Amino acid sequence: MSAYYLQQLLNGLMLGSLYALIAIGFSMIYGIVRLINFAHGDLLMVGAFTTLGLASTGLLPWWAIALLVLVTGALSGITIERVAIRPMRGAPQVTGFIATLAVSVVIENGGLILLSGQPRTFLFPEIMRSRVTIGPASVAAVDLVIIGSTLLLCVLLLLFVRGTRMGRAMRALADNLLAARLMGIDVDRTIMAAFAIGSAFAAFAGLLWGGRFGQIDPLIGFAPGLKAFVACVIGGVGSIGGAVLGGYLLGLAEVMFVGMLPPIYSGYRDAFVFATLILVLLLMPNGLLGRPEEDRA
Amino acid sequence: MTAPPFLPGPKAALAMLGAAAVVAFADLYLSTYAVTLLSLVMLNVALAVSLQLTNGLTGLFSLGHPAFMTVGGYVAAILTYPVRRKGFMMPDLPDWLATAQWDLLPATLVGAAVAALLALVVGIAVLRLKGHYLAVATLGLIVIVRVVINNLDGYTRGGLGLSGVPRLTGPWEVLVFTLLTVGLVWRIKHASLGRAMMAMRENELAARCMGIDAFALKLLAFVLGAFLAGAAGALTVHLVSVITPGAYGIPLAFSLVVMVVVGGSGSITGAVLAAIAISLLSEFARPLEEGLELYGLSQVLVALGLILVLRLRPTGLFGSREPAGLGRPRFSGGTS
């Protein structure tokens, strides 16, 4: 494989990791409450600015910052659930979408008011920017950190969902919420946990996103959030494995689209992603790993 | 009752005359700014009511109105643009377009038809699925339309936008369009078509069991909404004389949804009143935002207000109803 293709492959894996991290939360939340959380992408912004704020104090080591970002993300997710989603439970589905859309508007414009729309420079420590050579290609260390930490978080999540009581409760809720409640599962707590985990992942993606691209502003979460949803749909909404798979596929496809076609098309990058969404919905509405939803009376 | 009531009820007729009187008064005595503001408010009313058809009556959740407005606006603007400036502004146009300079009405109709065609393609792909996919697909559609227009700069001048579009739209054209839109949606709502739509919104499975072709009905509501949005976009462009790829974006999609929800999903009167109130409110909030240098404040307030409405009065101001006396007294219009 030539250096160029290996380079593109690594870029695709890096981008795919970020999409996967965001998509996992979308999928967990959708799987349980059947709701697309439009505010989910904005947690990326929350994570990125939390990181920037903590790093600029210079007091904390990076592992502590990463931990605090995860906690902030989880708390934000819990807040969103309490303010905008729990009160709407039982209302028509559309009500829930509109509520999360409103939350997203509040977060984005609140960010613009409090943090101003000026993009800010975001610097990872020097060592992250050093180049690492892999065969014929060379990548920034941060790319490897992104891919590595994503895989680590995925494995941890898998162990959690398969092996703990709470994880089992989540799967039961996703299967059949009513039956799960009858079995004595605390529905409120489980939904809150799903929001906390999904949102923590999205905020962590924000830390990595800022570190990789070097500039952040209050609206950075919007586009990756939408694209992560596309990744979810490709993989099959509601399936965590599907979200990861879809994230990587979308990341690779997007990088290939930009890297392999003549440069005049690269302006169409975002259009390509959403055209893929519509195509996937047309051909395989349940995605790669999703289960068909039957109509229940 | 036997004959279908083509004429509005007494109160509705009064409201229409009132609207015409306001337009006449503004046209005669008020500043250009006030007339333009009035026209934009009326266009928002038309947009909210057309979204009411798609989202409120049929229970879809489309955010695509801004995309359809952009498409309708650009298509119509290219058709009406002065020929002598076309070569300079849009060098890639084929000859038959480069030498065409249409009137407002045919250009608006073609713009709306292109928007409807786009909706047809997207709708066929997405409407077979559960409603929430439509929300994301239409959000994606806004992005696609913006990106494509940005990149087709030989036709659209890309990110610079088209300026100097002839000002062909006046308040009277807008008034006629708005009344036609409201009338059309009102007729649909109170005909069997509208009742089928509302039945589907309440329980799709049950509606299908009663013989309603859910897919066709959804497609109709989506495409018709897009047609009206495209026409509104075309009229807006010829009112303000400029269009840019990002002029109608996600904030607009959000405000329109807010108008529908606050007014009450399915209530045309509600959508009209909410559209008037919210458009005027955000217009008057603008100097406040500039004074305090808190840009985006009005959006935050609208969003928080929306969450409050959803929590306290989930059905909006009017629910699905219309106030008594607006229509003929044969069908009250509620779904309860």
Side-chain angles (χ1 to χ4, degrees):
Chain A
M1 204 181 341
S2 75
Y4 180 72
Y5 289 104
L6 184 59
Q7 194 83 51
Q8 296 297 343
L9 180 71
L10 284 167
N11 279 340
L13 286 177
M14 180 278 298
L15 194 61
S17 302
L18 293 172
Y19 289 158
L21 276 180
I22 310 170
I24 286 172
F26 257 129
S27 224
M28 284 177 79
I29 292 169
Y30 182 88
I32 293 180
V33 286
R34 298 281 183 272
L35 180 90
I36 295 168
N37 179 7
F38 281 107
H40 193 67
D42 294 311
L43 291 165
L44 181 110
M45 181 273 278
V46 171
F49 274 96
T50 309
T51 314
L52 186 67
L54 290 173
S56 64
T57 61
L59 296 173
L60 294 167
W62 276 93
W63 62 265
I65 293 180
L67 216 59
L68 281 173
V69 167
L70 284 169
V71 171
T72 312
L75 290 178
S76 317
I78 291 172
T79 315
I80 293 175
E81 199 265 335
R82 285 306 284 267
V83 172
I85 293 170
R86 190 175 299 183
M88 317 292 173
R89 209 177 299 153
Q93 225 179 12
V94 175
T95 314
F97 299 146
I98 299 170
T100 61
L101 200 59
V103 172
S104 161
V105 170
V106 170
I107 296 180
E108 285 176 12
N109 287 289
L112 282 176
I113 291 173
L114 297 175
L115 307 162
S116 98
Q118 289 294 322
R120 289 166 198 243
T121 323
F122 184 110
L123 283 183
F124 257 14
E126 197 62 45
I127 186 163
M128 293 290 218
R129 275 173 287 152
S130 60
R131 310 293 295 185
V132 180
T133 36
I134 301 178
S138 95
V139 285
V142 61
D143 288 6
L144 297 179
V145 171
I146 290 176
I147 298 171
S149 53
T150 302
L151 291 177
L152 178 70
L153 282 176
C154 287
V155 170
L156 287 177
L157 181 66
L158 197 72
L159 292 177
F160 174 78
V161 171
R162 297 264 164 229
T164 62
R165 277 180 73 86
M166 181 57 90
R168 221 179 318 157
M170 277 180 193
R171 282 185 289 141
L173 240 61
D175 243 9
N176 189 333
L177 196 135
L178 214 58
R181 173 174 284 153
L182 294 175
M183 294 296 123
I185 290 175
D186 187 339
V187 172
D188 282 347
R189 242 185 69 200
T190 315
I191 291 179
M192 206 165 80
F195 266 88
I197 295 172
S199 307
F201 276 33
F204 190 71
L207 180 155
L208 298 173
W209 191 279
R212 175 62 176 75
F213 297 105
Q215 260 200 348
I216 59 174
D217 66 68
L219 301 181
I220 48 161
F222 178 75
L226 274 185
K227 288 184 187 175
F229 180 78
V230 177
C232 254
V233 174
I234 294 174
V237 186
S239 143
I240 293 177
V244 176
L245 183 66
Y248 280 108
L249 283 178
L250 186 69
L252 286 169
E254 195 181 325
V255 166
M256 272 182 353
F257 181 83
V258 178
M260 312 270 166
L261 287 176
I264 40 162
Y265 293 112
S266 58
Y268 288 99
R269 181 181 191 154
D270 289 355
F272 163 76
V273 171
F274 291 105
T276 312
L277 169 77
I278 293 175
L279 203 70
V280 170
L281 288 177
L282 196 60
L283 299 176
M284 324 175 284
N286 295 311
L288 293 169
L289 303 181
R291 279 179 299 178
E293 252 179 80
E294 74 268 43
D295 278 332
R296 285 207 200 92
Chain B
M1 290 281 190
T2 46
F6 283 108
L7 296 170
K11 280 189 192 167
L14 215 63
M16 284 162 71
L17 283 178
V22 170
V23 170
F25 176 77
D27 204 16
L28 286 175
Y29 298 109
L30 295 182
S31 65
T32 328
Y33 164 76
V35 174
T36 308
L37 178 61
L38 180 66
S39 308
L40 288 174
V41 171
M42 286 192 292
L43 280 165
N44 272 340
V45 168
L47 284 166
V49 170
S50 65
L51 193 67
Q52 190 66 274
L53 176 72
T54 312
N55 288 20
L57 286 181
T58 319
L60 301 172
F61 188 38
S62 164
L63 293 166
H65 259 45
F68 301 127
M69 286 174 72
T70 310
V71 168
Y74 265 100
V75 169
I78 288 174
L79 289 173
T80 60
Y81 211 71
V83 169
R84 61 198 159 75
R85 297 182 61 204
K86 266 187 177 167
F88 164 67
M89 300 283 268
M90 317 163 193
D92 288 356
L93 285 186
D95 279 345
W96 62 274
L97 268 177
T99 52
Q101 187 172 343
W102 291 21
D103 275 340
L104 181 64
L105 183 64
T108 302
L109 288 176
V110 171
V114 174
L117 200 67
L118 179 67
L120 189 69
V121 174
V122 175
I124 288 176
V126 177
L127 286 174
R128 285 186 194 282
L129 305 163
K130 294 263 173 197
H132 36 254
Y133 288 106
L134 185 67
V136 180
T138 48
L139 213 52
L141 191 64
I142 297 180
V143 178
I144 294 179
V145 166
R146 179 160 61 214
V147 168
V148 168
I149 288 178
N150 252 322
N151 282 282
L152 284 179
D153 43 7
Y155 299 86
T156 60
R157 272 185 96 218
L160 294 171
L162 279 179
S163 51
V165 180
R167 290 180 194 269
L168 302 173
T169 311
W172 291 104
E173 284 87 350
V174 176
L175 178 71
V176 169
F177 171 68
T178 305
L179 289 180
L180 280 177
T181 304
V182 175
L184 175 71
V185 177
W186 184 280
R187 292 282 302 138
I188 289 179
K189 180 180 174 183
H190 295 95
S192 59
L193 198 59
R195 282 192 245 182
M197 286 171 174
M198 286 189 278
M200 200 171 63
R201 178 188 73 185
E202 296 304 320
N203 188 336
E204 187 176 331
L205 196 59
R208 275 167 45 198
C209 292
M210 306 305 279
I212 290 172
D213 184 346
F215 177 66
L217 210 55
K218 285 179 188 174
L219 199 60
L220 176 72
F222 186 56
V223 171
L224 199 54
F227 183 88
L228 293 170
L235 291 174
T236 313
V237 173
H238 293 92
L239 179 75
V240 297
S241 135
V242 200
I243 183 166
T244 55
Y248 312 120
I250 287 136
L252 177 65
F254 179 68
S255 339
L256 291 176
V257 167
V258 174
M259 290 169 194
V260 168
V261 174
V262 170
S265 284
S267 170
I268 294 162
T269 320
V272 171
L273 294 179
I276 295 175
I278 290 172
S279 339
L280 287 179
L281 219 66
S282 46
E283 179 64 23
F284 293 129
R286 196 180 301 161
L288 191 72
E289 279 186 355
E290 279 164 11
L292 298 172
E293 297 199 343
L294 291 177
Y295 297 100
L297 185 65
S298 66
Q299 289 247 24
V300 172
L301 293 180
V302 167
L304 289 175
L306 175 71
I307 293 177
L308 265 185
V309 169
L310 287 177
R311 289 182 69 151
L312 300 177
R313 203 177 160 88
T315 52
L317 289 176
F318 287 88
S320 256
R321 289 160 212 283
E322 312 290 348
L326 274 182
R328 291 299 181 85
R330 60 167 193 147
F331 172 56
S332 64
T335 50
S336 53

